[in-house]
Amino acid sequence: MYGDEATIRRILTELGDTWAVVGLSSNRNRAAYGVAQVLQRFGKRIVPVHPSAETVHGERGYASLAEIPFGVDVVDVFVNSDLAGAVADEAVVKGARAVWFQLGVVDEAAHERTRSAGLEMVMDRCPAIEIPRLN
């Protein structure tokens, strides 16, 4: 319901390789850390977005999407559902082509707004699980 196979495939293979990972820090115990590694292994450039703006996996971090001085293709969201809608709205303003809400992150109103703005969107799925299935 929140991400059909065609949309998942399109985001992972056609919409670009620069992924802003919102919630990514250097904390190895957080899911975002491992997912970002998988994305890199599959050729994606990850851009950490976290209030601490840490460098993670060799990529410079930024405190917000707005601070990234270049375009991003996909915004991968690792924040609680109650905060995710605002991130989706920022992704629209940033000019991203897609938004991906991680497992357990669901905001139906944000999904509707994001899709209405012309972006692809997936919710409650994990690209680190989906991307290996493509081959």
Side-chain angles (χ1 to χ4, degrees):
M1 174 177 179
Y2 299 131
D4 61 86
E5 296 305 314
T7 300
I8 289 169
R9 179 173 290 280
R10 209 167 24 259
I11 291 172
L12 291 171
T13 64
E14 298 174 23
L15 296 186
D17 292 331
T18 301
W19 284 55
V21 184
V22 179
L24 175 58
S25 71
S26 61
N27 182 343
R28 294 171 182 263
N29 296 320
R30 305 288 299 183
Y33 190 89
V35 170
Q37 278 184 313
V38 171
L39 289 170
Q40 280 186 318
R41 273 201 313 272
F42 281 87
K44 307 300 182 189
R45 176 184 182 192
I46 58 107
V47 182
V49 179
H50 190 277
S52 63
E54 299 172 295
T55 295
V56 184
H57 301 309
E59 294 286 349
R60 178 181 172 198
Y62 297 89
S64 69
L65 287 174
E67 290 182 19
I68 301 172
F70 49 84
V72 298
D73 301 308
V74 181
V75 176
D76 189 7
V77 182
F78 279 93
V79 300
N80 293 329
S81 295
D82 59 340
L83 303 174
V87 176
D89 295 339
E90 290 173 29
V92 171
V93 171
K94 180 70 179 164
R97 300 175 74 192
V99 175
W100 191 299
F101 281 7
Q102 282 295 326
L103 289 171
V105 180
V106 175
D107 181 331
E108 293 181 10
H111 186 269
E112 174 111 3
R113 288 193 311 274
T114 303
R115 298 281 298 154
S116 293
L119 283 70
E120 297 280 2
M121 185 159 183
V122 170
M123 292 194 303
D124 196 26
R125 302 289 283 267
C126 179
I129 293 170
E130 303 298 335
I131 201 166
R133 294 179 181 172
L134 296 177
N135 297 328

